[in-house]
Amino acid sequence: MLYNVLGMKNKENSAAEKGKSKITAKKIAMLALLSALGLITFVIENQFPPLFVPGAKMGLANIFSMTAIIMFGPVEGLCVVVVRTVLGSLFAGNISMLMYSLTGGIVSWLASSVLIYLVCPKISVMAVSITAAVLHNITQNIVYVLITGTSLMLSYMPYLALIGVLSGAIVGAVVLIIFKKVPTSVFQGFMARVKES
């Protein structure tokens, strides 16, 4: 599936594809690593001021959620989104942020999963990432308006969409670099070390 998503020649055999659906120690370790990297990225990004609009961030932690969706599948991607979002809210000391982040995260995860597994490679990973980022920002804004009743926040929609395009392009570019430039031996080496331990 990975190579199909990226529009590359399929290098995986059917046995490897069947093995992907199993819950293994290697898969759990890799998902834990992706969740941890996403959490670290979120915590670092949270130290910087918002981009142009109150509460707007680049969402670089989504790099690891999308990586999980492409590498393993939608369910595993959702695990990374939920773990990273819940722990991120706890680390930030702002549980109310969970309502916005988790809702936006689930909507963007759903959009990414549907597009990656039903449309790719007809559209690029970059387009998937941009779509997911725009939907994430818009969803968070709608949830905020519904909870607070501050309809004035709807005027931020165009700005949030533009920030989503920018952040989605960055996330998509990094994901493509990870899969196209980082040798597969890096992933295989990590998996082998996990198996040995």
Side-chain angles (χ1 to χ4, degrees):
M1 182 64 203
L2 166 61
Y3 294 97
N4 184 43
V5 166
L6 299 174
M8 299 163 65
K9 187 177 177 182
N10 190 352
K11 298 178 183 176
E12 299 176 82
N13 58 34
S14 59
E17 285 290 329
K18 289 178 185 174
K20 284 175 70 175
S21 62
K22 294 181 182 177
I23 302 270
T24 63
K26 290 192 290 186
K27 181 187 282 190
I28 292 170
M30 193 64 183
L31 291 175
L33 176 67
L34 291 171
S35 299
L37 290 171
L39 178 60
I40 291 166
T41 305
F42 169 81
V43 170
I44 292 170
E45 188 177 2
N46 205 38
Q47 304 306 310
F48 294 94
L51 297 171
F52 314 116
V53 177
K57 300 283 185 181
M58 288 301 293
L60 298 178
N62 293 317
I63 292 167
F64 305 102
S65 305
M66 184 162 283
T67 299
I69 292 170
I70 293 172
M71 280 184 76
F72 299 109
V75 174
E76 291 84 352
L78 180 60
C79 291
V80 171
V81 169
V82 171
V83 168
R84 172 181 58 80
T85 306
V86 171
L87 291 178
S89 297
L90 292 173
F91 274 62
N94 189 354
I95 298 300
S96 64
M97 182 174 61
L98 185 62
M99 293 182 290
Y100 313 114
S101 298
L102 189 57
T103 309
I106 289 174
V107 168
S108 65
W109 159 80
L110 183 61
S112 298
S113 299
V114 168
L115 291 174
I116 285 173
Y117 284 88
L118 296 181
V119 184
C120 276
K122 292 178 183 175
I123 65 170
S124 66
V125 170
M126 182 79 71
V128 172
S129 180
I130 290 170
T131 303
V134 170
L135 287 174
H136 187 281
N137 287 354
I138 289 173
T139 302
Q140 282 188 317
N141 195 30
I142 291 171
V143 170
Y144 182 82
V145 169
L146 291 174
I147 290 173
T148 64
T150 313
S151 57
L152 182 62
M153 285 296 292
L154 292 174
S155 63
Y156 286 126
M157 256 343 163
Y159 303 105
L160 291 171
L162 287 173
I163 292 170
V165 170
L166 175 63
S167 64
I170 292 170
V171 167
V174 173
V175 169
L176 285 173
I177 289 169
I178 288 172
F179 287 112
K180 289 191 173 181
K181 300 296 182 185
V182 176
T184 54
S185 60
V186 171
F187 296 110
Q188 292 167 350
F190 171 77
M191 296 300 200
R193 287 193 295 277
V194 170
K195 190 173 183 179
E196 290 169 4
S197 60

